[in-house]
Structures are given as structure tokens and as C-alpha cells.
Amino acid sequence: MKNKSAKKLRIQYVISCFLIYFISVSCNQSIEPKINNSIQNLIEKYPQLTAEKKSEKSKEFKFVKSVREGEFNIEIQLYSQPEGYKNRNHILVFINGKKQIYAMPLFNSKYRDYWEFSFDKLLQNVPKTNTTFTNQLNSGIDELINNSDRRKSNKRYTLINEMLTSVLNCKRIEEKDSSSVLHTLRGSYDIPDENIDSAKIRLRKNYELMKREWHPEEFSYNYNCYFDETNARVYQIENLGNKFKIKTYRMDYGFHYINL
């Protein structure tokens, strides 16, 4: 009798696993067209995303990774242009528990109006995006999380924190990281040449500005600055009540080898 019961339980377990897998696959397949449509609409709205296009727009951005936050059931997906593109752009896709979707651009750093870099001028011959990282993020939060939701404040902070740490692999900056922030300057071939001494001065100004408020009271024991080493940017979160402001600091400089 015990063997029959154990066998029955194993069969039920296999069937349960199959059903869970089948439902998961079915849900992903049903939402994939909505995701692709959202990405395509974003590209049409912001043609700068494919300014250096090499292929058909709909196939240019490749899925990179997906992160799901369990407590509030929020999924964040990252799509990127392949390695080797000049001025690579990325796209973030947010999906809430109701399968509502919001896609937003993650432009490269030459689009300085988008990032609102401190101590930086706009580059000539670079078309404006007419939007900002902060505006895009706040719009996405308002679209996916109802204002009537009592946990909206916690949900939006969780969404931003997951986006920065889990999706973009940013490192939270503390006092012990001061030296790293002050001496990390990434050379970039995608922007005009800059004077290295001027770039170091900008780095010092960045540091002095960000450290004034990188440990605000509303963040309790946490710090509000995140270092995105891959994209050579630092993001600083400011809580403005019903909205967030993201201050962004550029950590790269234009550098090109001279062929003799």
C-alpha cells in the first residue's frame, strides 16, 4: 500500500509540475506580442534609438535578461542592441501583476538632455530626445501602479531599486567608496574628445554634489547613489513626495587614439 501511495504522489507531482510549466509558457507566449508591440511603438516615438541601425528595427533590440520582484509581482526586462554597435542604446520593459506593460528608453550618454547630467553641456549635432530619464520612470510608475494603492510609495522604490541593482547591476555607493568614485573615469570612443584635466574636475564636482545628500533621512540606513559601471554613470534617487527625481552623473570622457 505504501508503494502505491508513493507512486500516486509522484504521478501527481509530475502532473503538477507539467501544469505549472504549461501555464507559465502559455502566459509568456500570450504577453510576448504585447511586449514586442510596446518596443516597436517606443522605437517609432524615439527614432534616436535606432539612429545607428544595422538591421530591421523590430529585430534590432535583443532580449538580455529578466528580473521578477516577488513581493509586489513586478517584472523588469532588459533589451539591448548587440555588441559592436556605435552608441548602443537599451530598452527597459516593466510588467505588473495585471500584465500591463510599459517600455522606456535607456539612451546612451551622448543624449545629455535625457540624462540631465550635472556640469555638462549638450553635444552639437545630437538631436534632443525631448524627454528625461526621470520623466520616463515616473510615467511608468504612474501607469503601472494606481495612485489609490496604499503601498505605491514602497512599490515604486522597490521597482527603482530592482531596476538599478538587479537589472543594471549597479553598486550602491557609501563613504568607503569615495576613492573609487573620485578616480573612476572611463574613456569613451562614442563622444567627442575631452581634456582629461577638465574631466577630472567634473568628476570632483560630481562627487561633491552627490555626497551632500547621499544619505537622506527617508532612506533610513540606506544610501541613495548607485554606480552603473557598465554605462559609466551614477544615479542618485531623490524623493519628492509623489514623485522621484533621478540625478545622473557622467563618469566617462571622450578619448580617441591618434594614429601616427
Side-chain angles (χ1 to χ4, degrees):
M1 291 294 294
K2 288 184 178 180
N3 290 337
K4 288 184 178 180
S5 298
K7 185 176 181 180
K8 186 177 180 180
L9 287 173
R10 284 198 297 269
I11 293 172
Q12 290 176 342
Y13 175 78
V14 171
I15 292 173
S16 298
C17 289
F18 176 78
L19 288 174
I20 292 171
Y21 173 78
F22 179 78
I23 292 170
S24 176
V25 170
S26 299
C27 289
N28 288 337
Q29 288 177 341
S30 64
I31 201 173
E32 189 172 342
K34 293 173 64 177
I35 293 173
N36 291 337
N37 187 57
S38 181
I39 291 174
Q40 188 62 40
N41 290 338
L42 189 73
I43 291 172
E44 292 175 1
K45 185 175 182 179
Y46 299 106
Q48 299 94 330
L49 283 166
T50 55
E52 305 289 341
K53 67 179 182 179
K54 287 186 176 182
S55 60
E56 205 174 311
K57 288 182 181 179
S58 61
K59 298 178 181 178
E60 185 165 352
F61 284 86
K62 305 296 183 182
F63 173 80
V64 176
K65 67 189 299 187
S66 175
V67 172
R68 182 181 295 277
E69 193 285 316
E71 182 180 358
F72 299 127
N73 195 20
I74 296 173
E75 182 179 358
I76 309 173
Q77 297 183 352
L78 175 66
Y79 293 79
S80 298
Q81 291 173 314
E83 291 279 354
Y85 271 54
K86 183 180 180 182
N87 298 316
R88 290 177 71 204
N89 294 308
H90 313 276
I91 290 175
L92 290 169
V93 175
F94 300 87
I95 308 167
N96 66 9
K98 298 179 180 179
K99 303 304 180 184
Q100 294 173 303
I101 296 170
Y102 181 83
M104 63 174 279
L106 206 61
F107 288 106
N108 69 76
S109 292
K110 79 174 186 178
Y111 294 100
R112 296 182 183 175
D113 69 314
Y114 183 76
W115 294 108
E116 301 179 287
F117 292 125
S118 301
F119 315 113
D120 245 336
K121 295 180 180 179
L122 301 185
L123 294 175
Q124 293 182 354
N125 302 320
V126 175
K128 292 183 179 180
T129 63
N130 296 316
T131 186
T132 66
F133 184 49
T134 292
N135 289 342
Q136 289 287 316
L137 200 51
N138 278 310
S139 294
I141 290 170
D142 289 340
E143 190 167 319
L144 299 179
I145 307 173
N146 292 328
N147 288 328
S148 59
D149 192 327
R150 294 180 179 178
R151 298 187 297 173
K152 182 171 183 175
S153 180
N154 289 337
K155 285 184 177 181
R156 65 183 181 181
Y157 173 74
T158 299
L159 183 148
I160 293 174
N161 185 65
E162 285 296 313
M163 176 193 70
L164 294 176
T165 57
S166 300
V167 179
L168 299 181
N169 297 322
C170 298
K171 175 185 176 182
R172 199 190 298 266
I173 296 173
E174 303 178 15
E175 280 90 350
K176 64 183 177 62
D177 303 305
S178 298
S179 179
S180 175
V181 174
L182 277 168
H183 297 97
T184 300
L185 197 57
R186 305 293 187 209
S188 173
Y189 299 103
D190 295 334
I191 55 178
D193 285 345
E194 295 177 78
N195 180 277
I196 184 65
D197 292 329
S198 297
K200 289 179 179 179
I201 291 173
R202 168 170 51 83
L203 211 63
R204 167 63 69 172
K205 289 181 177 179
N206 284 345
Y207 171 75
E208 294 296 337
L209 183 59
M210 73 176 70
K211 78 171 186 177
R212 293 177 191 172
E213 297 180 351
W214 70 3
H215 192 65
E217 292 182 5
E218 64 266 26
F219 279 78
S220 184
Y221 61 87
N222 287 326
Y223 290 78
N224 67 354
C225 282
Y226 299 77
F227 182 25
D228 181 354
E229 189 170 2
T230 301
N231 294 299
R233 293 188 289 259
V234 171
Y235 312 103
Q236 185 168 34
I237 305 174
E238 289 188 317
N239 190 347
L240 303 179
N242 294 327
K243 301 288 182 181
F244 275 106
K245 168 71 177 177
I246 308 293
K247 280 185 178 178
T248 312
Y249 306 91
R250 185 165 65 91
M251 308 290 285
D252 63 0
Y253 76 106
F255 172 76
H256 297 82
Y257 288 108
I258 299 176
N259 294 321
L260 299 178

